[in-house]
Amino acid sequence: VQLQASGGGLVLPGGSLRLSCAITGDILGRFHMAWYRQAPGKQRELVAGITRGLNTNYADSVKGRFTISRDNPGITAELQMNDLKPEDTSTYYCVSDSLGFRYSDDDWANWGQGTQVTVSS
């Protein structure tokens, strides 16, 4: 299983970006998926997650601004990011797991390569 993340870039404060994550490889079923981010010198944090049953959860810092969604087959997920702030600047990683939604970043089975999001004027 491989995860391919895309959609990062440079955006002005208040702007929007949409990240996408596609799962390829030996896919047997739907996945639980999530987005993490990590900025230099900071801890990695869960940004948003979506379960196989379409339940979602968000970090308090992004609630009301970010929306996670997925397609029906459950092999792609997107993160719509609105009203971006400089503190959202980070490398964003998508993760997946077919067995369960993980609340520890070390427990996710599959990690993508990361996509850089920079919010700056």
Side-chain angles (χ1 to χ4, degrees), residues 71-85:
D71 66 328
N72 187 44
I75 57 175
T76 64
E78 296 189 329
L79 185 67
Q80 177 66 42
M81 305 185 295
N82 298 327
D83 189 24
L84 283 160
K85 305 176 186 300

Side-chain angles (χ1 to χ4, degrees), residues 36-40 42-45 89-93 116:
Y36 279 79
R37 66 185 180 188
Q38 187 169 25
K42 294 188 177 180
Q43 279 194 318
R44 190 161 52 193
E45 64 171 338
T89 296
S90 192
T91 302
Y92 285 70
Y93 300 88
Q116 179 66 35

Side-chain angles (χ1 to χ4, degrees), residues 40-105:
K42 294 188 177 180
Q43 279 194 318
R44 190 161 52 193
E45 64 171 338
L46 176 65
V47 177
I50 186 164
T51 69
R52 207 154 41 197
L54 302 181
N55 295 311
T56 59
N57 63 309
Y58 297 91
D60 288 342
S61 60
V62 307
K63 283 180 182 177
R65 300 188 297 122
F66 290 11
T67 303
I68 189 170
S69 61
R70 66 185 307 155
D71 66 328
N72 187 44
I75 57 175
T76 64
E78 296 189 329
L79 185 67
Q80 177 66 42
M81 305 185 295
N82 298 327
D83 189 24
L84 283 160
K85 305 176 186 300
E87 51 265 40
D88 295 318
T89 296
S90 192
T91 302
Y92 285 70
Y93 300 88
C94 64
V95 299
S96 72
D97 198 299
S98 61
L99 299 181
F101 191 90
R102 310 304 183 181
Y103 291 94
S104 173
D105 52 356

